[in-house]
Amino acid sequence: MLALLAFAQFVVAVDYNIVFVALPDIGSALGFTAQSLQWVISAYAVAFGGFLLFGGRLVDRLGARRIFVLGLSLFGLACLVGGLADSPAVLITARAIQGFGAALLSPATLTLINTRFAEGSQRNRALALWGACGSGGLAAGALLGGVLTQAWGWEWVLLVLVPLALLAAVLAPATLAQDQRSTTPRGSFDAAGAVLATLGSSLLVLGLVSGPETGWGSLRGAGSIVTGAALLAVFVLVESKVRSPLVPLRLFRNRSLVTAILIILVFQSALGGAYYLFTNYLQGVLSYDAVEAGLTFVPLTVISMAASLRLAGALLAKWGPRATLFLGMFTNGTGMIVLAAAMSTSASFWGLVPGLIIWGVGGGVTFPAMFACAASGVAPQEAGAASALATASQQIGGAAGLALLVAVATAGLATGSGVAPAVADMAEGLRTAMWIGGAASVLGGLLAFTLSKPATVLQAKNVETPQERTSQSGALNGR
């Protein structure tokens, strides 16, 4: 079961990076304009971020196994359509459906881990493997994207995902136990909340990914952000009134979940932007080709996987989430700062390796720890909503970080004037943005100290809490 769930995470993570290096080939083959090409990435991001809360509630209502299979099936079929696309419109539509499938799959996967593995050391080990496979998928995506594009064409960056996703969907019914009956009353689905959450989240992500291109004062930039934020404010008001809300507001009384959401926002803001910045540095400044750029990510990924598997669970068991999250975020940011210091116009691969190693250790420790923190103390019937909140913060943080760090990196460059920016200026902008991302990660680690130390240590050591004793006593009395 865990192998299947980790494999599903691997597939989604591969898709995160595999399309980036194929964008120039996609643009020339299908006739995208320079302005419209970004929608190959943005269509996926908007649909993924926009439908996460809806997907999380579907998990709670219909069952995690059903939504897991549905999400994988939609994801795989959309990859097939995208790989066979012969026009920009078909590819963008396929990418949006792919994002919708991922929005169902991600909360279902996390819910299955959080409900099938006991809180404490067992769940921490499961999340460590899940996080390690995510790290491996990011590197595999960067490397496969370059190899497949050069060998067989851009179509294969999508077609290669089809058998992987559909194989996992076929194996799921025989591997995963049947879903338990939902405790939510029939006929009480929060339709208004679903519409508001989807529109609000989609517009917020749309504004964040469009701002760097269209300008922050444009309708698609600031206009989408303001409208999305307003709809999400109305959504919160609606959730406080309905009988069976899409996102129960009592979840926000869980300090562990709220802290995890904030840390995920900061962590993913730095990570999402940094991957893009470093890829552009390798190809735009050092003139690496797609395969060489992918290979440069290998040290980062190998170290990150090792840290997830070997360090994250041990540190959570010994120190608890508070100290583990602070150490992970601090190390993650330090690695980015060390890497930024080495990003010159004449840097060698070996000069970049120390920063990549430190960055990998920090990311490998932080990733499973923050999702373990997000699941702490959440009732099984609300695990889907909690998982969706955590993943939604990941997507919004990634979009916001990418937008802000790209804006920093390109400030002052002579773009749009027909004059290519000087390599030295490009390197300086990318280096400055990487510094800022690293500093944000270091400072974001301080959020971990809002957690309650005694409670987190108790959970980390897998000791029965008073709430668990009360729950078990109630169950015995019911029998």
Side-chain angles (χ1 to χ4, degrees), residues 74-433:
L74 284 174
F75 185 90
L77 293 174
C79 288
L80 177 62
V81 173
L84 300 176
D86 58 0
S87 69
V90 173
L91 180 57
I92 289 173
T93 301
R95 289 286 288 167
I97 297 172
Q98 201 180 340
F100 177 63
L104 301 181
L105 177 60
S106 290
T109 304
L110 269 173
T111 299
L112 286 164
I113 290 176
N114 293 334
T115 56
R116 308 295 169 93
F117 295 91
E119 185 171 348
S121 60
Q122 187 184 87
R123 186 185 296 171
N124 292 342
R125 287 195 298 269
L127 285 169
L129 180 60
W130 173 80
C133 285
S135 298
L138 290 174
L143 185 56
L144 276 174
V147 171
L148 293 173
T149 301
Q150 288 191 3
W152 295 315
W154 69 265
E155 298 90 344
W156 283 93
V157 302
L158 294 174
L159 293 177
V160 72
L161 298 174
V162 177
L164 301 181
L166 296 184
L167 174 64
V170 169
L171 293 175
T175 307
L176 303 174
Q178 288 188 353
D179 296 313
Q180 296 181 351
R181 186 183 298 271
S182 173
T183 58
T184 305
R186 291 185 177 274
S188 60
F189 186 74
D190 180 15
V195 172
L196 287 168
T198 301
L199 287 177
S201 301
S202 298
L203 285 171
L204 185 60
V205 175
L206 172 64
L208 289 170
V209 300
S210 300
E213 180 209 359
T214 63
W216 293 107
S218 67
L219 181 62
R220 209 166 79 191
S224 294
I225 292 174
V226 171
T227 305
L231 288 174
L232 289 176
V234 176
F235 166 71
V236 173
L237 180 62
V238 169
E239 297 305 275
S240 67
K241 305 294 183 182
V242 297
R243 179 185 176 191
S244 181
L246 192 74
V247 177
L249 297 185
R250 59 180 169 271
L251 286 173
F252 293 100
R253 295 198 293 268
N254 183 332
R255 187 191 300 183
S256 182
L257 174 60
V258 172
T259 299
I261 287 172
L262 294 175
I263 289 177
I264 291 169
L265 274 170
V266 177
F267 175 81
Q268 196 64 33
S269 294
L271 180 69
Y275 262 79
Y276 182 84
L277 295 174
F278 192 57
T279 302
N280 274 271
Y281 167 74
L282 294 173
Q283 294 181 302
V285 177
L286 299 185
S287 300
Y288 284 17
D289 62 28
V291 176
E292 290 171 332
L295 287 170
T296 306
F297 278 94
V298 170
L300 170 66
T301 305
V302 171
I303 294 298
S304 182
M305 292 179 68
S308 288
L309 289 170
R310 298 297 180 185
L311 278 180
L315 292 176
L316 282 167
K318 184 175 182 179
W319 292 345
R322 185 164 77 163
T324 302
L325 282 171
F326 172 73
L327 177 65
M329 290 286 283
F330 180 85
T331 307
N332 183 74
T334 300
M336 292 173 64
I337 292 171
V338 171
L339 183 63
M343 287 170 58
S344 67
T345 56
S346 58
S348 67
F349 166 76
W350 295 110
L352 301 172
V353 167
L356 292 173
I357 290 176
I358 300 170
W359 185 12
V361 171
V365 169
T366 303
F367 198 80
M370 62 191 187
F371 281 99
C373 186
S376 179
V378 176
Q381 65 270 23
E382 294 174 346
S387 298
L389 283 170
T391 311
S393 67
Q394 184 183 14
Q395 292 303 308
I396 292 172
L402 180 62
L404 294 173
L405 293 181
V406 167
V408 171
T410 57
L413 296 182
T415 55
S417 61
V419 179
V423 172
D425 292 339
M426 182 185 298
E428 181 61 30
L430 293 169
R431 184 164 52 242
T432 301

